[in-house]
Amino acid sequence: MTYIAPKVLAKSFTCPHCGAIAMQRWAMRGWDLVGDPNGEKYNPVRAAYCDHCTRTSIWVEDVMLYPDTGRAPQPNPDLPGSVKSVYLEAASISTKSPRGAAALLRLALQLLCAELGEGGKDINKDIGELVRKGLPESVQQALDIVRVTGNNAVHPGQIDFDDSEVVQQLFVLLNMIAEYRISLPSQITRLYQSLPQVSRDQIQKRDGPTTAIK
């Protein structure tokens, strides 16, 4: 899924309300303040109106204050509730404390591993188990990026957390993991079940009862 992070005065980005990539119409709101030694006035408060959902995001300078999601994409709707709540908590502090957001995303990953049937206590072990069950290398790498970056969030100097792009990509990766491990299997199962019963019976007869998709 394509995601364009919100950016002040950008003509379009992924709306933090509806999740659509849409044109944003900017307006100035609020008050005038003295902004420089020459006494010139400026307005630090800005509002962007989404052409798709018509909802508004509120900005001061280059920081989006409402909705309080930082520059993180919306969570995958198929994320379990416990994981989604931690994801949204991480999003709310992602621009204020990238290091804190990375640590929370590691917790979200730990919860997700438990939802996927693993122990949920040792993420490294859980990822190894998922690999043994056939997890593709690209998804394994995404899991380890979130795991290692979250671990390093409490170890100063190992990763540059002043660069918010590092943490922003963790949100993207967590959504990608959910897409592959939850959303895609669910969609395939739903589509398979929509096949005529006679066709599914033929497939089961071909493959045998232990390998048929249910």
Side-chain angles (χ1 to χ4, degrees):
M1 180 183 297
T2 303
Y3 173 73
I4 301 175
K7 184 178 181 181
V8 68
L9 300 181
K11 293 182 178 179
S12 64
F13 50 70
T14 299
C15 174
H17 291 291
C18 66
I21 297 176
M23 181 178 292
Q24 304 292 321
R25 301 182 185 275
W26 291 88
M28 307 296 286
R29 290 289 184 271
W31 56 91
D32 290 333
L33 299 175
V34 175
D36 60 39
N38 297 322
E40 295 183 5
K41 293 183 177 181
Y42 76 105
N43 191 328
V45 182
R46 303 177 172 95
Y49 298 87
C50 173
D51 260 10
H52 185 262
C53 69
T54 72
R55 299 183 69 181
T56 305
S57 57
I58 306 298
W59 300 65
V60 174
E61 297 291 1
D62 59 351
V63 178
M64 183 172 67
L65 297 186
Y66 173 80
D68 192 14
T69 57
R71 302 178 70 227
Q74 291 187 327
N76 184 309
D78 292 323
L79 278 173
S82 61
V83 182
K84 188 180 297 185
S85 64
V86 176
Y87 180 105
L88 291 173
E89 183 181 355
S92 70
I93 67 168
S94 59
T95 56
K96 307 176 189 71
S97 176
R99 188 183 301 278
L104 282 171
L105 288 175
R106 182 194 178 281
L107 173 59
L109 178 61
Q110 184 173 349
L111 294 171
L112 182 58
C113 285
E115 292 285 351
L116 294 175
E118 303 306 326
K121 295 182 179 180
D122 185 333
I123 300 180
N124 193 45
K125 180 180 178 181
D126 289 346
I127 294 174
E129 288 297 323
L130 289 170
V131 169
R132 279 186 281 277
K133 294 175 182 177
L135 190 74
E137 182 180 6
S138 58
V139 182
Q140 166 261 307
Q141 291 176 348
L143 286 161
D144 278 319
I145 290 170
V146 179
R147 176 184 65 84
V148 171
T149 306
N151 285 344
N152 287 339
V154 295
H155 298 292
Q158 296 192 26
I159 292 180
D160 180 14
F161 283 96
D162 291 332
D163 182 2
S164 61
E165 292 294 325
V166 172
V167 175
Q168 181 188 327
Q169 292 305 312
L170 299 186
F171 290 100
V172 175
L173 289 173
L174 197 63
N175 278 335
M176 289 173 58
I177 294 163
E179 178 70 20
Y180 181 83
R181 295 296 299 175
I182 301 175
S183 303
L184 186 57
S186 177
Q187 292 169 18
I188 292 174
T189 298
R190 185 172 62 254
L191 290 171
Y192 184 83
Q193 293 296 337
S194 71
L195 293 175
Q197 183 62 51
V198 63
S199 298
R200 284 185 281 149
D201 290 343
Q202 290 172 350
I203 294 171
Q204 185 170 354
K205 183 177 180 180
R206 180 197 68 192
D207 296 339
T210 60
T211 56
I213 300 176
K214 298 181 180 179

